[in-house]
Amino acid sequence: MIVTRFAPSPTGFLHIGGLRTALFSYLWARKNGGKFLLRIEDTDQARNSEAAVKAILEAFEWVKMDYDGAIEYQSKRFDIYAEYVNKLLDSGKAYRCYMSKEELDALREEQIKLGKRPRYDGRYRSLPPKEGVKPVVRIKSPTSGKVTIEDGVKGAVSFEWSETVDDFIIARSDGTPTYNFVVAVDDALMGVTDVIRGDDHLSNTPKQIVVYNALGFAVPKFFHVPMILSGEGKKLSKRDGATDVMEYKKMGYLPEALLNFLVRLGWSHGDQEIFSRQELLRLFDPRSINKSASAYNASKLLWINSEYIKQKNDQELIALLKEDFSLDVGGFKNAALLFNLCKEKARTLMDFASEARRFLLRPESYDEKDAAAVSADAIALCERFLEFARDKGEFHQAIGEFLEANDLKMPQLAKPMRVALFGAAQGPALAESLAILGVKEAQERVAALKNRVCRG
Ligand code: GLU
């Protein structure tokens, strides 16, 4: 059985890089009828916060990736880690190191002087305890030979043991366990078979393998996923996506669209862009993740989002607009027509809401210049047109007939009309707008503008 996990450290919000590896892990487990676990890596009391845990869980809920079992918190597992530290001490695979800070600094300096990479030299493997120093616990790492990781994404990656690891600390002098130790212990105890994570963790993997081996645990499969870079190939900045996943909700992205966008960052299936979750569950395979970094493409995300918005039915849209943008379209009689128009234009729900809002609410203000260009005659023209169109039903035809009968060009009618309906001369097509608003509402909006024009 395949068991994967997502293991965020709650030092900040969930960003899209994390969400993408979570998605890969989720898909791989679900596809294989396995398990997907969620583990909060909150052992670093100084850097972790409750608020970050909450933010991560909130984002997880938004994207609807269900995990198996209860969430595991590393902060509640210190007893377990202590037990495994003791096991290693008892079996002689780890030892207490009494090296003082001064001694360590001196060793470091000497190594640097000799042009060597600073590393702990293992001296307390054999030295006796020292008075006055609270020891740390170090694990015995191999000192020669190499380790090869058969990475599911990168292929075989080899490290010389002596170049890569020293006898690193697994428990600090206050007894708290260190990061690489707890990750390996947890992955092993939780039965994780496939570790899918960012390739910024590749360099931690040899250390974790030392822990697996020392404890006699099977080493899982690793899939180290290349980073997401900006369109210019640089580290992602906040502006181009390195932001809280929940910001995407605020900006009007649908979670399904965001996930669809993310799965394509590093993975592909032919040139298909839009995947239902069912399709992803059938097709996704971490072994076909790209070896090179992928580039964040904001306009593609917008396009995918607009495709997903188009797939939403009216009831779903009503619920989303209400929840995310406090816009109540529920009682609007021509909601279906309104939604069709908005779907044509909107790439985000935020666009959608602002487009819908101008139909639901009368203009609160008018564009100064556009309103000043509307004469009393133009208002009268709008009034006459609406009278004419009242019984016609089909506005395209009514507009055509009216323009012809009065020897007018479209802008002469459409501009003042739009100022009345929406507050500005530019805006949605007139016939569609009138079909959505109805003649009566249009008349009231014209009357409101007339009031202003005549007063002004
Ligand atoms: N907690 C680590 C992080 O948030 C991930 C550890 C892992 O996936 O092995 O970067």
Side-chain angles (χ1 to χ4, degrees), residues 42-340:
D42 56 349
T43 53
D44 187 344
Q45 317 279 15
R47 295 180 63 223
N48 298 156
S49 76
E50 279 285 328
V53 174
K54 252 186 84 184
I56 291 169
L57 297 183
E58 191 192 1
F60 230 73
E61 207 160 288
W62 179 56
V63 298
K64 295 197 178 66
M65 278 196 281
D66 53 313
Y67 44 85
D68 293 293
I71 302 172
E72 296 281 2
Y73 290 85
Q74 287 187 326
S75 58
K76 300 199 176 122
R77 295 169 59 82
F78 281 107
D79 289 350
I80 299 174
Y81 307 134
E83 183 190 326
Y84 282 88
V85 169
N86 285 332
K87 266 193 188 158
L88 290 178
L89 283 170
D90 291 346
S91 63
K93 291 182 173 150
Y95 58 94
R96 292 195 175 80
C97 169
Y98 294 82
M99 195 140 166
S100 64
K101 185 165 179 317
E102 293 71 33
E103 252 182 292
L104 257 176
D105 287 346
L107 172 65
R108 216 185 135 77
E109 238 171 73
E110 190 188 313
Q111 288 170 329
I112 291 174
K113 227 187 268 164
L114 293 172
K116 291 190 189 156
R117 225 161 45 87
R119 64 201 304 277
Y120 175 70
D121 61 1
R123 65 181 65 173
Y124 275 90
R125 283 191 183 201
S126 48
L127 287 177
K130 194 158 65 187
E131 289 282 322
V133 178
K134 262 188 116 185
V136 296
V137 178
R138 291 182 180 271
I139 194 165
K140 286 184 183 166
S141 293
T143 52
S144 63
K146 62 180 185 177
V147 56
T148 300
I149 300 158
E150 295 295 341
D151 191 88
V153 175
K154 308 222 165 229
V157 187
S158 295
F159 295 94
E160 287 292 334
W161 280 122
S162 63
E163 293 283 310
T164 320
V165 292
D166 55 11
D167 288 353
F168 59 92
I169 297 174
I170 57 171
R172 302 180 188 91
S173 55
D174 64 2
T176 57
T178 56
Y179 172 73
N180 283 300
F181 181 70
V182 298
V183 170
V185 168
D186 279 347
D187 281 337
L189 294 183
M190 294 172 191
V192 174
T193 60
D194 294 55
V195 172
I196 304 176
R197 62 185 172 202
D199 68 1
D200 49 336
H201 286 284
L202 184 61
S203 60
N204 288 327
T205 307
K207 286 189 178 178
Q208 292 172 14
I209 290 176
V210 171
V211 177
Y212 284 107
N213 290 343
L215 287 169
F217 292 137
V219 178
K221 277 196 216 109
F222 292 103
F223 299 85
H224 285 99
V225 180
M227 300 281 100
I228 304 171
L229 298 177
S230 74
E232 293 84 47
K234 302 215 178 75
K235 194 168 179 283
L236 266 198
S237 70
K238 215 173 159 182
R239 188 175 48 86
D240 43 28
T243 179
D244 183 350
V245 160
M246 293 311 277
E247 286 297 316
Y248 286 87
K249 181 175 195 272
K250 292 193 195 126
M251 292 185 284
Y253 289 94
L254 294 170
E256 310 88 297
L258 183 61
L259 293 182
N260 191 143
F261 170 70
L262 289 177
V263 82
R264 285 285 292 103
L265 288 180
W267 176 82
S268 57
H269 179 74
D271 50 15
Q272 185 171 342
E273 290 290 357
I274 305 287
F275 295 89
S276 68
R277 200 164 289 196
Q278 288 316 313
E279 277 179 301
L280 285 177
L281 288 172
R282 190 155 49 75
L283 298 170
F284 177 74
D285 190 322
R287 289 167 292 197
S288 48
I289 292 172
N290 266 338
K291 285 188 174 51
S292 46
S294 46
Y296 186 90
N297 179 341
S299 47
K300 184 150 146 195
L301 173 57
L302 281 169
W303 174 75
I304 292 178
N305 201 49
S306 69
E307 291 299 306
Y308 275 86
I309 289 176
K310 289 194 178 92
Q311 289 172 20
K312 290 278 170 209
N313 67 34
D314 293 358
Q315 288 316 312
E316 290 169 323
L317 286 166
I318 287 171
L320 284 165
L321 291 170
K322 188 155 189 185
E323 193 194 313
D324 294 351
F325 295 93
S326 313
L327 189 64
D328 191 356
V329 197
F332 190 71
K333 78 174 183 318
N334 287 331
L337 280 179
L338 172 62
F339 287 159
N340 281 344

